[in-house]
Structures are given as C-alpha cells and as structure tokens.
Amino acid sequence: MNPAAIGVIWALAFVILESVQYVYFGGLFQKMSSFLFGFLVFGVVVIVVGLWATLAARGQLRAAFANPAPLIGANVSATFAWAAYLGSVQLIEPAIAYTIGAGVMPITAYLAHRLGLPEGEPMRNRTEALGVLALFIGIVYLGFVTVFGLSGFVRGGSLAGLGGVILAVADGVLFTVMLIYCQRMDRTGVGPGLVFGLRFPLYVLTAGAVVALGLDNMPAPSLNETLPIIAIGLALTVPPLYALQRAVASVSTLTIGALTAIGPFVIFALQQIEGRVDYSTATLVGLAIYFVGALFAVYGAVRAATN
C-alpha cells in the first residue's frame, strides 16, 4: 500500500481515538485536576519509553540528544499545547474545544508556509483552500456561540467561555508547532515510538510543580479512585498519540490537520450518549458549517497526499 495512504489511515485512527478521549476527559476534569492527571499518566509514559529506549533504542536516543533544538522545541510546544487542551475541555463544550483546536491546525500549517518554514505547506488545490476557508468561518461562529452562552456547556460565564476559546485556539497552534518539531526529530533518525515519549518530560515536570504548589486548586482523589483513572487515562491517551506519531512519519502536517476536521462530529455524537452536555442547536449549526469545510479540506488533502 502507498505509504501516504497508510499515513492517512493512521491519522484517521488518531482522530477517532482522540474524539473518545475528549468526551471522557471533559467529564473527568470537572472532578479532578487536569495537571495531576497529566503528571501521573504522562509520567508513566516517560518512564516506560525511557526504559525501553535505554535498553533497545540507544542509537535513536543518541540521535535525539545530538540534535537538541527539535527535542527542546517539541517539549516546550507539547507542554503548552497539553496545558491549553486540558484547560479548554475543562471550561467549554468538548465538541467546540476540539472543533476550534482541530480547525486551527491546517490554518497554522498554511501560515507556517507563508512564514517560510519548510514544514509548512500552501493550499495544494482549490478544494482544500475552499475547505480551510469554511473551517475558519466555522471557528469564528463557534467562538461567538460559546462566549455568548449559546453552546451546550460553559463552566462559568462569558469570561470562562472566552478563556476556553482562547485556550482551544492556542492548543491548535501549539499542537501544529509540536508536529513540526516531531517531523524534524523523525528526519534525524528518531523513530515514532521514541519521539512519542521524548516530547513529554517537560510537561511532566511542569504539571508536577503545579500540583505540588497547589496552583491547580482542586482536591486530589483517593488512591482507590486514582489507580483506575491512570489505567483508563493510559488506554485513552497512548493509542491516539502513537497513531498520530505514525501518521507524522508518513504524511504532512497540513494533511493531518485537515483530517482532524472530521473529529467534532464523532465527539458531538458521543456527547449525546454521555448526557453531561446539553443539546445545543447553535453548536450543531456551527458544526454543520465546519463539516462542509471539513469535507472539502479532507477531500483536497487526501487527494494531494496520496497523489
């Protein structure tokens, strides 16, 4: 099979798995600190990957440390991206948080091209360009819906809604930057598995410091509650991130960004099953605008990638 087609399959797997993750985390973080969760779950990931690399992938580990710039860049962008992501799903409707973050990704990839970064890409055909424009319109509309209290859920008033929207935008931008640095690490001979683990150490240290200083201002769950949360968190976090890393090694950042645009509809359906978030017609209208753009963007991106 065409390597690019395999990359598209991995990207679609990432989208579906991450959609399940968004809805679950949206409910979990109403009761538990997102920083404590990140410290525990990603701390386990860093330890396991570090042990594996020391025993079985020392050459890749040396290659990573011999090229510190992308390693540092991936850690810094991943730290702020995860903080923004976890904060956004705490404050606003998960479908909207994901939609804004996912829609910002192809726009950021295009802006990276305009800024002269080699990992950025221009719009590769008119279909893709039209789709990305519709994504932008959908993002603006959903931001308006959230700030003015027309969505299914906001944890607070207009300021909380605005904060959630800003964090979702920051998540999309920073996540794209992280992908760029991960692609640079991949080109230096660091495999997907090691890249996956090497981008989290700074976040683990930062989240641990926030929890230790009590800045998250949320009670810690009991040990009996924490252990199942860690197990579920690993099950919901590791597979989509690994799928993403495999996709990064095969297709471009712009293609991945376009494919993530279909995720909001999976999340919206899961929200209705979960029942925590009220049904919002305004949200559905915004997702419909976004969906039109997603169809065009995905079709254009897949056609360009597989050709």
Side-chain angles (χ1 to χ4, degrees):
M1 184 182 291
N2 185 332
I6 295 174
V8 168
I9 293 172
W10 277 113
L12 288 172
F14 159 70
V15 170
I16 294 171
L17 292 167
E18 192 184 44
S19 298
V20 177
Q21 178 195 107
Y22 252 82
V23 175
Y24 174 78
F25 288 172
L28 172 65
F29 296 150
Q30 306 307 310
K31 301 171 289 187
M32 178 183 183
S33 165
S34 60
F35 289 100
L36 176 60
F37 173 87
F39 171 72
L40 295 173
V41 171
F42 292 120
V44 171
V45 169
V46 169
I47 291 171
V48 171
V49 173
L51 290 174
W52 168 79
T54 302
L55 296 173
R58 292 182 182 177
Q60 294 183 36
L61 200 59
R62 284 194 292 269
F65 287 110
N67 298 275
L71 176 61
I72 294 171
N75 268 265
V76 172
S77 55
T79 297
F80 286 102
W82 274 95
Y85 155 57
L86 296 174
S88 67
V89 296
Q90 241 178 332
L91 292 173
I92 62 177
E93 187 175 339
I96 292 180
Y98 184 96
T99 301
I100 293 174
V104 164
M105 288 177 64
I107 297 171
T108 305
Y110 174 71
L111 291 176
H113 161 72
R114 299 292 296 178
L115 292 172
L117 296 178
E119 293 82 7
E121 280 192 277
M123 296 293 108
R124 293 163 290 185
N125 48 61
R126 291 181 180 179
T127 304
E128 188 175 43
L130 180 62
V132 171
L133 176 61
L135 294 183
F136 175 75
I137 294 171
I139 289 170
V140 173
Y141 174 82
L142 286 170
F144 175 87
V145 163
T146 302
V147 172
F148 288 94
L150 302 174
S151 66
F153 169 78
V154 174
R155 191 184 182 189
S158 296
L159 285 179
L162 178 61
V165 169
I166 292 173
L167 287 172
V169 171
D171 171 37
V173 173
L174 290 165
F175 205 80
T176 307
V177 172
M178 182 193 72
L179 291 181
I180 289 173
Y181 282 118
C182 287
Q183 286 180 326
R184 293 180 181 180
M185 290 175 66
D186 180 79
R187 290 199 297 270
T188 64
V190 185
L194 186 54
V195 171
F196 168 67
L198 284 178
R199 64 192 187 198
F200 292 122
L202 180 60
Y203 177 75
V204 171
L205 293 174
T206 303
V210 169
V211 173
L213 295 172
L215 301 178
D216 52 343
N217 197 32
M218 290 190 73
S222 67
L223 182 62
N224 290 336
E225 295 173 319
T226 301
L227 293 178
I229 287 173
I230 293 175
I232 295 172
L234 287 169
L236 289 177
T237 302
V238 175
L241 287 176
Y242 180 75
L244 173 64
Q245 201 56 57
R246 292 299 298 266
V248 165
S250 303
V251 293
S252 70
T253 301
L254 183 59
T255 300
I256 295 171
L259 289 169
T260 57
I262 64 175
F265 292 90
V266 181
I267 295 178
F268 189 80
L270 291 173
Q271 282 181 181
Q272 307 317 307
I273 296 172
E274 182 196 32
R276 179 179 63 89
V277 176
D278 291 335
Y279 178 88
S280 168
T281 302
T283 297
L284 190 58
V285 170
L287 293 182
I289 297 171
Y290 189 88
F291 183 58
V292 172
L295 287 177
F296 281 97
V298 168
Y299 176 74
V302 172
R303 189 177 67 181
T306 54
N307 286 338

